[in-house]
Coordinates of all heavy atoms in Angstrom, one line a residue:
S126 N 0.7 7.3 1.1 CA -0.5 8.3 1.2 C -1.7 7.5 1.5 O -2.7 7.9 2.3 CB -0.7 9.1 -0.1 OG -0.8 8.3 -1.2
V137 N -10.8 8.2 13.1 CA -12.0 8.9 13.1 C -13.1 7.9 13.4 O -14.0 8.2 14.3 CB -12.3 9.6 11.7 CG1 -13.7 10.1 11.7 CG2 -11.3 10.7 11.4
F146 N -15.4 12.8 20.3 CA -15.4 14.1 19.6 C -16.8 14.3 19.0 O -17.6 13.3 18.9 CB -14.4 14.2 18.5 CG -14.8 13.5 17.2 CD1 -15.1 14.2 16.1 CD2 -14.5 12.1 17.2 CE1 -15.4 13.5 14.9 CE2 -14.8 11.4 16.0 CZ -15.3 12.1 14.9
C193 N -37.2 54.3 8.1 CA -37.3 53.7 9.4 C -35.8 53.1 9.9 O -35.8 52.7 11.1 CB -38.3 52.5 9.5 SG -38.2 51.1 8.2
L206 N -26.7 46.8 19.6 CA -27.9 46.2 19.3 C -28.4 45.3 20.4 O -27.5 44.8 21.1 CB -27.8 45.4 18.0 CG -29.1 45.0 17.3 CD1 -29.6 46.2 16.5 CD2 -28.8 43.9 16.2
N222 N -37.6 15.5 17.6 CA -37.6 15.5 19.1 C -36.3 15.4 19.8 O -36.2 14.9 20.9 CB -38.7 14.4 19.7 CG -39.9 14.7 19.2 OD1 -40.5 15.9 19.2 ND2 -40.6 13.7 18.7
P224 N -32.9 16.6 21.9 CA -32.9 17.6 23.0 C -32.1 18.8 22.6 O -30.9 18.7 22.2 CB -32.1 16.6 24.1 CG -31.3 15.6 23.2 CD -32.1 15.4 22.0
R227 N -28.2 24.4 22.8 CA -27.6 25.8 22.7 C -28.6 26.6 21.8 O -29.3 26.2 21.0 CB -26.2 25.7 22.1 CG -25.2 25.1 22.9 CD -23.8 25.4 22.5 NE -23.4 26.8 22.7 CZ -22.9 27.3 23.7 NH1 -22.8 26.4 24.8 NH2 -22.5 28.5 23.9
T235 N -30.1 41.2 4.5 CA -31.4 41.1 3.9 C -31.2 40.8 2.3 O -30.0 40.9 1.9 CB -32.2 42.5 3.9 OG1 -31.5 43.5 3.3 CG2 -32.5 42.8 5.4
S238 N -29.4 43.5 0.4 CA -28.1 43.9 0.7 C -27.2 42.7 0.3 O -25.9 42.8 0.5 CB -27.9 44.0 2.2 OG -28.6 45.4 2.6
R242 N -24.0 39.8 -4.7 CA -22.7 39.8 -3.9 C -22.5 38.3 -3.6 O -23.1 37.8 -2.6 CB -22.9 40.7 -2.7 CG -23.0 42.2 -3.1 CD -23.2 42.7 -1.7 NE -23.4 44.3 -1.9 CZ -24.6 44.9 -2.2 NH1 -25.6 44.3 -2.5 NH2 -24.4 46.3 -2.4
K246 N -23.9 35.1 -0.4 CA -24.9 34.4 -0.9 C -25.6 33.5 0.1 O -24.9 32.9 0.9 CB -24.3 33.5 -2.0 CG -25.4 32.8 -2.8 CD -24.7 32.0 -3.9 CE -25.7 31.1 -4.8 NZ -25.0 30.4 -5.8
P258 N -23.2 36.3 8.5 CA -21.8 36.2 9.0 C -21.5 36.5 10.3 O -20.4 36.1 10.8 CB -21.1 37.2 7.9 CG -22.2 38.1 7.8 CD -23.4 37.5 7.8
F259 N -22.4 37.2 11.1 CA -21.9 37.5 12.4 C -22.9 36.8 13.4 O -24.0 36.8 13.3 CB -22.4 39.2 12.5 CG -21.4 39.9 11.8 CD1 -21.8 40.6 10.7 CD2 -20.1 40.3 12.4 CE1 -21.0 41.3 9.9 CE2 -19.4 41.2 11.6 CZ -19.7 41.6 10.5
Y287 N -31.4 41.4 9.4 CA -32.4 40.8 10.3 C -31.7 39.8 11.2 O -30.6 39.4 11.0 CB -33.6 40.1 9.4 CG -33.1 39.0 8.7 CD1 -33.1 37.6 9.3 CD2 -32.6 39.0 7.5 CE1 -32.8 36.6 8.6 CE2 -32.2 37.9 6.6 CZ -32.2 36.7 7.2 OH -31.8 35.7 6.5
V290 N -32.6 33.3 14.9 CA -32.3 32.6 16.1 C -32.3 31.1 15.7 O -33.1 30.6 15.0 CB -33.5 32.7 17.1 CG1 -33.3 31.8 18.3 CG2 -33.5 34.2 17.6
N307 N -36.7 33.7 12.6 CA -36.0 35.0 12.3 C -37.0 36.1 12.2 O -38.2 35.9 12.6 CB -35.3 34.9 11.0 CG -36.2 34.4 9.8 OD1 -37.1 35.2 9.6 ND2 -35.9 33.3 9.1
K309 N -37.4 38.2 9.6 CA -37.8 38.5 8.3 C -39.3 39.0 8.2 O -40.2 38.5 8.9 CB -37.6 37.3 7.4 CG -36.2 37.1 6.9 CD -36.2 35.9 5.9 CE -34.9 35.6 5.4 NZ -34.9 34.5 4.3
T316 N -26.9 49.4 9.0 CA -25.6 49.8 9.6 C -24.8 50.4 8.5 O -25.1 50.3 7.2 CB -24.8 48.5 10.1 OG1 -24.5 47.6 8.9 CG2 -25.5 47.7 11.1
T317 N -23.7 51.2 8.8 CA -22.9 51.8 7.9 C -21.6 51.5 8.2 O -21.2 51.2 9.4 CB -23.2 53.4 7.9 OG1 -22.3 54.0 6.8 CG2 -22.8 54.1 9.2
N320 N -15.6 55.0 9.5 CA -14.5 55.9 8.9 C -13.3 55.3 9.4 O -12.8 55.7 10.5 CB -14.8 57.3 9.3 CG -13.7 58.2 8.7 OD1 -12.9 57.8 7.8 ND2 -13.5 59.5 9.2
M326 N -3.4 59.8 8.1 CA -3.4 59.3 6.7 C -4.1 60.3 5.8 O -3.7 60.6 4.7 CB -4.0 57.9 6.6 CG -4.0 57.3 5.3 SD -2.4 57.0 4.7 CE -2.0 55.6 5.6
V328 N -4.3 63.6 6.2 CA -3.5 64.7 6.0 C -2.3 64.5 5.1 O -2.0 65.2 4.1 CB -2.9 65.2 7.4 CG1 -1.8 66.2 7.2 CG2 -4.0 65.7 8.3
T330 N -2.4 62.1 2.7 CA -2.8 62.0 1.4 C -3.0 63.5 0.6 O -2.8 63.6 -0.5 CB -4.1 61.2 1.4 OG1 -3.9 60.0 1.9 CG2 -4.8 61.1 0.0
C333 N 0.4 64.9 -0.2 CA 0.9 64.4 -1.3 C 0.2 64.8 -2.7 O 0.8 65.0 -3.7 CB 0.8 62.7 -1.3 SG 2.0 62.1 0.0
I336 N 1.5 68.4 -3.4 CA 3.0 68.7 -3.9 C 3.3 67.7 -5.1 O 4.2 67.9 -5.8 CB 3.9 68.3 -2.8 CG1 3.9 67.0 -2.3 CG2 3.6 69.4 -1.5 CD1 4.9 66.7 -1.3
P338 N 1.9 67.3 -8.2 CA 2.1 68.0 -9.4 C 3.3 68.9 -9.5 O 3.9 69.2 -10.5 CB 0.8 68.9 -9.6 CG -0.3 68.2 -8.7 CD 0.6 67.5 -7.5
K347 N 13.4 70.4 -15.6 CA 14.7 70.0 -15.5 C 15.1 69.2 -16.8 O 16.2 69.4 -17.4 CB 14.9 69.1 -14.3 CG 16.3 68.6 -14.2 CD 16.5 67.6 -13.0 CE 17.9 67.1 -12.9 NZ 18.0 66.2 -11.6

Side-chain angles (χ1 to χ4, degrees):
S126 58
V137 169
F146 79 100
C193 54
L206 200 73
N222 295 316
R227 296 192 70 81
T235 63
S238 291
R242 297 173 176 87
K246 186 177 180 180
F259 291 97
Y287 65 90
V290 173
N307 59 59
K309 280 184 180 180
T316 60
T317 187
N320 179 16
M326 182 64 74
V328 173
T330 302
C333 290
I336 66 176
K347 180 181 178 181

